[in-house]
Amino acid sequence: MMERVIAILPELNQAFLETLLMVSIALAVAILIGLPFGILLFVTDRGLFLENVLVKRVAGLVINLIRSVPFVILLVFLLPFTQFLLNTTIGPLAASVSLSVAAIPFYARIVESSARDIDKGVIEAAIAVGASPWMIIKSIILPEVKPGLITGLTITAISLIGYSAMAGTIGGGGIGDLAIRYGYYRYDNTIMFTTVIVLIVLVQVVQYLGDLVARVVSKR
Amino acid sequence: MIKLENISKKYNSKGKQIIGVDDVTLTVEAGEVFGIVGYSGAGKSTLLRCINLLEKPTSGKVFVDGVNLHELSPKDLRKARQSIGMIFQGFHLVSSKTVFENVAFALRAAGADKKQIKLRVEELLALVGLEDRRDQYPAQLSGGQKQRVSIARALANQPKILLCDEATSALDPGTTKSILSLLKKINRELGLTIVVITHEMEVVKEICSRCAVMQDGKVVEQGSTYDIFSDPANPLTVSFIQTVLNFDLPKELLEEINGKLVRLQFKGSIAAEAVVSDMLQAFPIRGNILHGKVEYIQSKPLGIFIMELNGNEAEVNKAIAYLRDKVSKVEVLDDGTRNRHLA
Ligand SMILES: Nc1ncnc2c1ncn2[C@@H]1O[C@H](COP(=O)(O)OP(=O)(O)O)[C@@H](O)[C@H]1O
Ligand SMILES: [Mg+2]
């Protein structure tokens, strides 16, 4: 049994790196696009300093549209887009396109809801000293929401690890792909268990690191 | 310094209209400490927030230092807000910033550079007595210290006005006193115009030269604090005054009384004892002081005595007429019949 695992080790290693790559790209996109999106949702809300019903409605609608499509369907639905973007639909890079699209609204909602927990009075006090909207976002909202951003990133990363397994099944590569190929098509339970253990360890490590960082940055 | 003209603020909540402020006109003079008192929900905070347009009035005009705030561009309004400091019951400090950074934020908002900021923050922390706390986070401070930080933040850009929304309501009596004396010092030494909102008449007594009483969004009475205390006109004002000038006499004592019960109010520096002893010399009656108290309102004394007067009815009435002539107010609480009750 051990030799089965050792024999598969190079492949396992590659699958692991592919998963890491997919999830990292999607996380980066979540931070780059999902975070500003989430802040936008928050500051355009009723009673806030950039209140804008139209922007809020449209942004909220787009996010809900994407979020209401199950990931497997989104994956298939985005194949033409991936093809157009990368000229291929195979490989971890291609898989990270649909993962990113799923990660953006997921993270945006988390950002929005943690921003809602900020004491409105703190924002009001900033308005009262004459701070500009940009300063309030940069120097009040972002620092105040930092622990929430990190916790949210942990949750997003763990969801993405799950999604990446699905993406793997349609040619994305990664650990999910490995599990399906050996465990499902070849009934190789050893490989199957190994992948499950790798995933469990990965999720635990992500959770642990996320909690640690969130605790360090929290000043409450 | 501040002129509010016919300010109204209405809210629409679930199709129902809620009136926050109802047609309030007020003027606050430069350099004074002005109080706005009222029970919870009277519209005090809403009115205060209209002064820096944190709340846009549904109708009416706000002038600060002669400038109509409604006519300012967003940028100019931000500039104007820098000269109106504001502090709150809940302090509203940024929990992820140190004391220094909280105060520095106000200066950064006004575009100050790093060096200026450092100097000014240190100066402010010295003013509020928190030099040794500059690198602590709000969670590490007591309520009184937090309010001091928020005062430092509010004063950062050298404002002309300081708005205080129940600034001492979350603090214990001792801390309240120290924050009030800090506000007094700021008013005196920096010449700031201060508007104080509170539901505690004690606060008004302590620091306000003038005040207004609010109920259901309206100002029901306003005037100098001393006049409000000595001659309240509105029943609500009377009930507020009584929270400070409270004279509950024990029931047992009241039951033993069989003369007339009178309440004498002395304004200013009239020697109360002398008036009373002259009266007892002039009329063949017996007098018994049950309660006496001198309150200092804006450091002007307001004396209140409760006396029992015994003797021939006609002589007692003459004595009361004599007193009416000498003191600012005489109230007959009980004319000697049974079933007495004191407010
Ligand atoms: N944002 C709001 N939406 C709806 N009603 C409000 C809002 N703010 C205040 N009010 C109402 O306006 C009235 C006055 O409130 P407020 O100014 O906070 O009173 P106070 O500060 O004297 O306790 C209350 O009846 C309150 O419910
Ligand atoms: Mg209030």
Side-chain angles (χ1 to χ4, degrees):
Chain A
M1 178 183 138
M2 214 46 214
E3 39 290 13
R4 288 280 311 110
V5 177
I6 290 167
I8 206 81
L9 218 48
E11 220 177 326
L12 189 66
N13 191 33
Q14 200 203 341
F16 181 74
L17 290 178
E18 281 173 357
T19 297
L20 229 50
L21 179 68
M22 283 188 264
V23 172
S24 305
I25 291 175
L27 273 185
V29 173
I31 295 172
L32 244 49
I33 303 175
L35 172 59
F37 223 112
I39 298 289
L40 182 77
L41 283 171
F42 174 65
V43 297
T44 53
D45 206 0
R46 256 193 66 170
L48 270 134
F49 55 97
L50 292 179
E51 174 173 345
N52 189 322
V53 180
L54 187 71
V55 171
K56 168 90 189 174
R57 285 249 173 89
V58 171
L61 187 73
V62 169
I63 279 185
N64 286 345
L65 277 180
I66 302 175
R67 292 205 63 194
S68 51
V69 180
F71 183 68
V72 215
I73 298 175
L74 190 70
L75 207 57
V76 179
F77 181 78
L78 285 174
L79 284 178
F81 176 65
T82 310
Q83 174 73 37
F84 165 80
L85 209 64
L86 300 172
N87 246 327
T88 176
T89 58
I90 307 294
L93 227 49
S96 57
V97 172
S98 47
L99 280 178
S100 300
V101 170
I104 291 169
F106 190 88
Y107 193 50
R109 280 295 185 209
I110 294 179
V111 170
E112 183 197 9
S113 80
S114 32
R116 276 180 206 267
D117 288 340
I118 299 176
D119 180 359
K120 294 285 176 306
V122 173
I123 294 172
E124 212 166 72
I127 298 173
V129 297
S132 64
W134 172 238
M135 267 211 79
I136 297 173
I137 292 172
K138 187 177 66 123
S139 302
I140 306 284
I141 296 178
L142 287 180
E144 281 293 271
V145 90
K146 215 194 277 164
L149 293 185
I150 289 161
T151 310
L153 215 53
T154 312
I155 298 171
T156 310
I158 289 170
S159 297
L160 285 174
I161 292 171
Y163 286 172
S164 80
M166 277 190 243
T169 60
I170 64 158
I175 296 174
D177 176 42
L178 197 70
I180 295 285
R181 272 194 288 126
Y182 286 88
Y184 186 68
Y185 294 124
R186 297 191 207 161
Y187 305 106
D188 187 337
N189 284 336
T190 314
I191 301 302
M192 179 86 146
F193 280 129
T194 313
T195 57
V196 169
I197 288 165
V198 169
L199 285 174
I200 289 174
V201 171
L202 184 59
V203 168
Q204 292 297 332
V205 168
V206 168
Q207 184 71 57
Y208 174 78
L209 287 179
D211 288 348
L212 191 74
V213 178
R215 198 145 9 105
V216 168
V217 301
S218 174
K219 260 127 202 176
R220 268 170 245 241
Chain B
M1 181 56 80
I2 302 168
K3 221 164 102 194
L4 303 177
E5 280 181 15
N6 307 98
I7 298 290
S8 290
K9 176 72 189 184
K10 300 186 176 87
Y11 297 103
N12 280 311
S13 163
K14 295 180 196 116
K16 253 195 356 215
Q17 198 180 56
I18 297 170
I19 296 178
V21 174
D22 193 2
D23 195 23
V24 169
T25 297
L26 264 186
T27 306
V28 178
E29 305 296 341
E32 77 174 332
V33 182
F34 191 89
I36 299 173
V37 246
Y39 289 117
S40 178
K44 310 179 296 292
S45 298
T46 309
L47 182 65
L48 191 77
R49 293 152 51 81
C50 284
I51 297 176
N52 58 1
L53 292 196
L54 274 184
E55 204 84 67
K56 306 265 182 298
T58 316
S59 61
K61 287 189 187 140
V62 181
F63 294 92
V64 172
D65 214 3
V67 178
N68 183 343
L69 291 193
H70 303 270
E71 287 169 357
L72 298 180
S73 66
K75 191 157 171 273
D76 288 338
L77 178 60
R78 289 204 290 273
K79 197 114 204 93
R81 279 177 179 151
Q82 282 158 17
S83 58
I84 309 174
M86 190 169 195
I87 61 174
F88 311 83
Q89 175 173 7
F91 322 123
H92 298 344
L93 298 175
V94 186
S95 63
S96 54
K97 289 187 191 301
T98 61
V99 167
F100 182 93
E101 291 164 344
N102 264 286
V103 181
F105 175 76
L107 294 160
R108 280 201 288 133
D113 67 39
K114 265 214 160 74
K115 225 170 118 194
Q116 287 173 305
I117 290 177
K118 189 167 176 293
L119 282 175
R120 180 75 182 136
V121 174
E122 272 157 15
E123 191 179 305
L124 286 159
L125 292 183
L127 175 75
V128 299
L130 286 179
E131 301 98 316
D132 52 338
R133 304 276 172 175
R134 58 166 279 171
D135 296 319
Q136 296 196 321
Y137 287 93
Q140 297 166 288
L141 302 177
S142 71
Q145 289 166 337
K146 284 183 200 165
Q147 197 58 288
R148 283 166 189 274
V149 177
S150 94
I151 290 173
R153 173 176 64 184
L155 297 180
N157 294 311
Q158 267 134 357
K160 299 186 195 112
I161 295 170
L162 181 62
L163 308 176
C164 312
D165 190 350
E166 305 263 8
T168 58
S169 301
L171 306 174
D172 62 68
T175 314
T176 294
K177 271 224 147 52
S178 78
I179 293 291
L180 290 181
S181 58
L182 176 61
L183 291 178
K184 248 199 270 194
K185 175 173 138 184
I186 289 164
N187 169 251
R188 217 168 353 139
E189 290 175 13
L190 307 177
L192 247 77
T193 307
I194 300 183
V195 183
V196 169
I197 274 187
T198 183
H199 61 270
E200 295 165 313
M201 214 55 199
E202 201 62 51
V203 171
V204 174
K205 187 194 104 184
E206 203 68 41
I207 65 171
C208 301
S209 48
R210 288 199 307 137
C211 66
V213 181
M214 274 188 90
Q215 184 176 30
D216 299 332
K218 291 193 187 66
V219 168
V220 294
E221 189 165 358
Q222 60 173 311
S224 90
T225 302
Y226 195 86
D227 291 346
I228 292 277
F229 268 89
S230 56
D231 300 291
N234 189 282
L236 177 71
T237 315
V238 174
S239 84
F240 266 112
I241 299 305
Q242 273 165 359
T243 61
V244 173
L245 308 179
N246 189 6
F247 293 104
D248 275 337
L249 294 178
K251 232 199 177 102
E252 296 79 6
L253 183 69
L254 288 177
E255 260 151 29
E256 283 169 18
I257 290 172
N258 37 38
K260 278 193 190 200
L261 204 58
V262 293
R263 180 182 183 275
L264 313 176
Q265 182 175 295
F266 298 84
K267 273 198 207 175
S269 51
I270 299 171
E273 271 90 357
V275 172
V276 170
S277 82
D278 284 355
M279 179 267 291
L280 291 177
Q281 297 260 305
F283 303 93
I285 59 171
R286 275 164 293 119
N288 185 16
I289 293 180
L290 303 175
H291 203 312
K293 190 174 184 183
V294 180
E295 280 287 346
Y296 288 85
I297 291 153
Q298 292 291 292
S299 51
K300 246 170 80 184
L302 180 69
I304 289 165
F305 284 79
I306 294 187
M307 287 187 75
E308 178 194 8
L309 301 178
N310 273 315
N312 175 295
E313 169 122 33
E315 292 297 331
V316 168
N317 285 341
K318 269 197 260 172
I320 291 174
Y322 171 88
L323 286 171
R324 279 195 209 283
D325 217 37
K326 299 273 181 212
V327 305
S328 79
K329 218 187 214 170
V330 180
E331 249 178 286
V332 179
L333 299 173
D334 195 299
D335 63 1
T337 55
R338 277 285 144 204
N339 297 329
R340 28 190 115 245
H341 36 78
L342 270 178

Coordinates of all heavy atoms in Angstrom, one line a residue, chain A residues 143 145-148 150 210-220, chain B residues 95-96 137:
Chain A
P143 N -9.1 49.5 8.1 CA -8.4 49.0 9.3 C -9.4 48.4 10.3 O -9.1 47.4 10.9 CB -7.8 50.3 10.0 CG -7.8 51.3 8.9 CD -8.8 51.0 7.9
V145 N -12.1 46.8 9.6 CA -12.7 45.6 9.1 C -11.6 44.5 8.8 O -11.9 43.4 8.5 CB -13.5 45.9 7.8 CG1 -12.7 45.8 6.6 CG2 -14.8 45.2 7.7
K146 N -10.4 44.9 9.1 CA -9.2 44.0 8.8 C -9.4 42.5 9.4 O -9.2 41.6 8.6 CB -7.9 44.6 9.3 CG -6.8 44.2 8.3 CD -5.4 44.5 8.9 CE -4.9 45.9 8.8 NZ -3.8 46.2 9.7
P147 N -9.7 42.4 10.6 CA -9.9 41.0 11.1 C -11.0 40.3 10.4 O -10.8 39.1 10.0 CB -10.3 41.2 12.6 CG -9.8 42.6 13.0 CD -9.9 43.4 11.7
G148 N -12.1 41.0 10.0 CA -13.1 40.4 9.3 C -12.7 40.0 7.9 O -13.1 39.0 7.3
I150 N -9.8 39.1 7.0 CA -8.9 37.9 7.0 C -9.7 36.7 7.3 O -9.5 35.6 6.7 CB -7.8 38.1 8.1 CG1 -6.8 39.2 7.5 CG2 -7.1 36.8 8.4 CD1 -5.9 39.8 8.5
G210 N -5.3 31.4 9.1 CA -6.3 32.4 9.1 C -6.7 32.9 10.5 O -6.7 34.1 10.7
D211 N -6.9 32.0 11.4 CA -7.3 32.4 12.7 C -6.2 33.1 13.4 O -6.4 34.1 14.1 CB -7.7 31.2 13.6 CG -9.0 30.6 13.1 OD1 -9.7 31.3 12.4 OD2 -9.3 29.5 13.6
L212 N -5.0 32.6 13.2 CA -3.8 33.2 13.8 C -3.6 34.7 13.4 O -3.5 35.6 14.2 CB -2.6 32.4 13.4 CG -1.3 32.7 14.2 CD1 -1.4 32.2 15.6 CD2 -0.1 32.2 13.5
V213 N -3.7 34.9 12.1 CA -3.5 36.3 11.5 C -4.6 37.2 12.0 O -4.4 38.3 12.4 CB -3.4 36.3 10.0 CG1 -3.2 37.7 9.5 CG2 -2.2 35.4 9.5
A214 N -5.8 36.7 12.0 CA -7.0 37.5 12.4 C -6.8 37.9 13.8 O -7.1 39.0 14.2 CB -8.3 36.7 12.2
R215 N -6.3 37.0 14.7 CA -6.1 37.3 16.1 C -5.0 38.4 16.3 O -5.2 39.3 17.1 CB -5.7 36.0 16.9 CG -6.0 36.2 18.3 CD -6.4 34.9 19.0 NE -6.4 33.7 18.1 CZ -5.5 32.8 18.2 NH1 -4.6 32.8 19.1 NH2 -5.5 31.7 17.4
V216 N -4.0 38.3 15.5 CA -2.9 39.2 15.6 C -3.3 40.6 15.2 O -3.0 41.6 15.9 CB -1.6 38.7 14.8 CG1 -0.6 39.9 14.7 CG2 -1.0 37.5 15.4
V217 N -4.1 40.7 14.2 CA -4.5 42.1 13.7 C -5.6 42.7 14.5 O -5.9 43.9 14.4 CB -4.8 42.1 12.2 CG1 -3.6 41.7 11.4 CG2 -6.0 41.4 11.9
S218 N -6.3 41.9 15.3 CA -7.5 42.4 16.0 C -7.0 43.2 17.2 O -6.2 42.7 18.0 CB -8.4 41.2 16.4 OG -9.4 41.7 17.2
K219 N -7.6 44.4 17.4 CA -7.2 45.2 18.5 C -8.4 45.4 19.5 O -8.3 46.2 20.4 CB -6.7 46.5 18.0 CG -5.2 46.5 18.0 CD -4.6 46.9 16.7 CE -3.2 46.4 16.6 NZ -2.7 46.7 15.3
R220 N -9.5 44.8 19.2 CA -10.7 45.0 20.0 C -10.5 44.4 21.4 O -9.9 43.4 21.5 CB -11.9 44.4 19.3 CG -12.6 45.5 18.5 CD -13.6 44.8 17.6 NE -13.2 45.0 16.2 CZ -13.9 45.6 15.3 NH1 -15.0 46.2 15.6 NH2 -13.5 45.7 14.1
Chain B
S95 N -11.3 51.6 16.9 CA -10.7 50.6 17.8 C -9.4 50.1 17.3 O -8.6 49.6 18.1 CB -11.7 49.5 18.0 OG -11.9 48.8 16.8
S96 N -9.1 50.2 16.0 CA -7.9 49.6 15.5 C -6.8 50.7 15.4 O -5.7 50.4 14.9 CB -8.1 49.1 14.0 OG -8.7 50.1 13.2
Y137 N -4.5 51.4 22.8 CA -5.7 51.3 22.0 C -6.9 51.6 22.8 O -6.9 51.4 24.1 CB -5.8 49.9 21.4 CG -4.8 49.7 20.3 CD1 -3.5 49.1 20.6 CD2 -5.0 50.0 19.0 CE1 -2.6 48.9 19.6 CE2 -4.1 49.9 18.0 CZ -2.9 49.3 18.3 OH -2.0 49.2 17.3

